[in-house]
Amino acid sequence: MSQKSVLVTGAGGFIGFHLVNYLKNRGYKVRAVDIKDPEYQASSADEFRILDLREIDDCREAVRGMDEVYNLAADMGGIGYISGAHASITYNNTMISAQMLKAAHDAKVERFLFSSSACVYPQHLQDVPSVVPLKEEDAFPADPEPGYGLEKLYTEKLCQYFTEDYGFQTRLVRFHNVYGPLGTYDGGKEKAPAAICRKIARAKSGDTIEVWGDGKQTRSFMYIDDCVEGIYRIMRSDYSRPLNLGTDELVDVSGLVDIIAEIAGKTILKRFNTNRPQGVRGRNSDNSRLREVLGWEPLIHLRQGLIPTYAWIEGQVTAGGAERQAVIEPIPRVAAQ
Ligand code: NAD
Ligand code: GDD
């Protein structure tokens, strides 16, 4: 068991919360930082500090005495959110990312992991549902998702320059759409799996729910347990170039609704609304490099991961769901080396 001290920023959010649990289970001393407390449960971190990482003094306080930094803090949401607030998202994330990197380097942190996104990939490579899976080198020539994706791509480069010029150890992870229990499911920042779980949990069998787009757009979705396992393995690797972290199980949005309806045991009708945000037409992860570097890739199938996700969201929105969610077994996973 390691006694290293590690910082997780964004630990009041979805992935950061789960990552803190994972690292605690592996014996790390964990400092958690966020601008807000976790929404649904108390953090298992050794200390939880409320700081605003757009401020350099707060970044310096966050990294003080830390051996490693997992920088997950960001102004972030599903396609409805990130396509509607370019100025604030780009400004907030630029300030957080650049200053956390600088503060971590100045504090002589050993390793710094930056949470990037599949939104860095060029939009013209994602304009059909039967999309060719995206390889890391496809990111240039650049044409990323405006605002949010542009900042992620720029910060990847900034990390790379710190590695090249100063020998600072950075790790760059491009997440593909992550879902699971304790993920935002309402309020405007939710992504498709959680939004659809919520709509179906609130519906009666035979009801119609609104689905954004025509339902033919495609994505791959990664369960949170695979996500934190992959983050940890990438941090421990010696690979400092960008890496996809996602599954290559492609599904269209209409199919996603069908899987969740079947898990819920409800007949659900769909009203497609093409006036709502849709993002890219198709997106999938090419995991060749991930397999090459780690000898591992996300393993949990979509249907398998949606069972506990739906149970948790149902528990949040309906009476009685909470009891059912309590009996759901964790999905077995392969331990990291
Ligand atoms: P999240 O919104 O649940 O968590 C992000 C956390 O960052 C939030 O708790 C938020 O309060 C915190 N934060 C925002 N501004 C801050 C500030 N100024 N100071 C301190 N904390 C601040 O999102 P998540 O899904 O857990 O995402 C974590 C990281 O992974 C983000 O960098 C995100 O861009 C990236 N990512 C996530 C996905 C996904 O599908 N969830 C996909 C691609 C990339
Ligand atoms: N959010 C949401 N809510 N999306 C819906 C809904 C709904 O009720 N119904 C259908 N969709 C469709 C959207 O129109 C989109 O085409 C698809 O589901 C996926 O939407 P999101 O999950 O919101 O986002 P995304 O996949 O386009 O982008 C997300 O993943 C990136 C990484 O792969 C975002 O969360 C980005 O921030 C993230 O970086």
Side-chain angles (χ1 to χ4, degrees), residues 196 200 209 211 253-262 268 270:
I196 292 166
I200 292 181
I209 63 162
V211 179
V253 167
S254 183
L256 174 69
V257 177
D258 292 342
I259 296 171
I260 298 170
E262 189 251 311
I268 294 293
K270 304 161 202 159

Side-chain angles (χ1 to χ4, degrees), residues 8-274:
V8 177
T9 74
F14 171 46
I15 301 174
F17 181 90
H18 286 276
L19 182 62
V20 168
N21 289 343
Y22 180 95
L23 293 168
K24 281 305 301 168
N25 285 335
R26 293 192 76 86
Y28 285 86
K29 190 162 180 225
V30 182
R31 176 182 295 161
V33 165
D34 203 293
I35 202 168
K36 63 163 180 67
D37 282 317
E39 209 159 322
Y40 309 111
Q41 284 180 15
S43 174
S44 63
D46 296 281
E47 50 172 333
F48 194 101
R49 292 203 196 163
I50 300 290
L51 295 169
D52 183 348
L53 299 174
R54 290 169 299 185
E55 304 293 333
I56 186 71
D57 290 345
D58 284 21
C59 295
R60 293 198 191 287
E61 191 181 329
V63 301
R64 192 170 299 129
M66 293 293 107
D67 298 312
E68 297 180 349
V69 171
Y70 295 84
N71 190 38
L72 270 62
D75 190 356
M76 146 72 181
I79 194 64
Y81 182 72
I82 64 167
S83 59
H86 290 148
S88 57
I89 289 175
T90 311
Y91 174 79
N92 289 338
N93 292 347
T94 300
M95 299 303 282
I96 295 169
S97 304
Q99 302 197 114
M100 276 301 299
L101 178 64
K102 174 86 168 87
H105 173 253
D106 290 353
K108 302 195 168 21
V109 160
E110 291 163 17
R111 287 178 190 209
F112 179 91
L113 182 139
F114 173 61
S115 50
S116 186
S117 166
C119 289
V120 300
Y121 287 113
Q123 295 174 91
H124 64 266
L125 296 181
Q126 306 172 78
D127 54 6
V128 287
S130 55
V131 62
V132 175
L134 295 155
K135 287 187 164 66
E136 285 78 358
E137 58 268 30
D138 292 336
F140 289 96
D143 176 25
E145 190 94 36
Y148 175 79
L150 179 65
E151 185 278 330
K152 294 289 191 192
L153 189 60
Y154 169 83
T155 299
E156 284 186 3
K157 278 301 193 193
L158 191 60
C159 289
Q160 194 184 319
Y161 299 147
F162 269 63
T163 302
E164 288 166 3
D165 291 2
Y166 308 137
F168 187 48
Q169 285 298 312
T170 59
R171 302 286 179 268
L172 309 173
V173 188
R174 291 180 183 158
F175 298 122
H176 290 248
N177 206 320
V178 188
Y179 69 97
L182 307 179
T184 304
Y185 66 91
D186 65 359
K189 289 189 170 183
E190 62 277 15
K191 290 173 275 105
I196 292 166
C197 284
R198 184 200 70 226
K199 290 176 187 182
I200 292 181
R202 287 194 175 138
K204 294 188 300 301
S205 199
D207 280 358
T208 301
I209 63 162
E210 183 193 63
V211 179
W212 298 1
D214 64 3
K216 295 186 178 128
Q217 68 273 44
T218 55
R219 295 291 185 277
S220 70
F221 298 99
M222 171 170 55
Y223 189 62
I224 185 65
D225 289 7
D226 273 339
C227 178
V228 294
E229 183 81 41
I231 291 173
Y232 183 71
R233 286 173 183 251
I234 291 171
M235 183 64 126
R236 297 269 57 84
S237 79
D238 58 7
Y239 194 78
S240 62
R241 313 282 297 188
L243 274 179
N244 282 330
L245 185 58
T247 75
D248 53 12
E249 184 184 350
L250 195 68
V251 63
D252 68 25
V253 167
S254 183
L256 174 69
V257 177
D258 292 342
I259 296 171
I260 298 170
E262 189 251 311
I263 289 168
K266 297 180 186 180
T267 301
I268 294 293
L269 308 176
K270 304 161 202 159
R271 179 167 49 80
F272 294 110
N273 186 346
T274 52

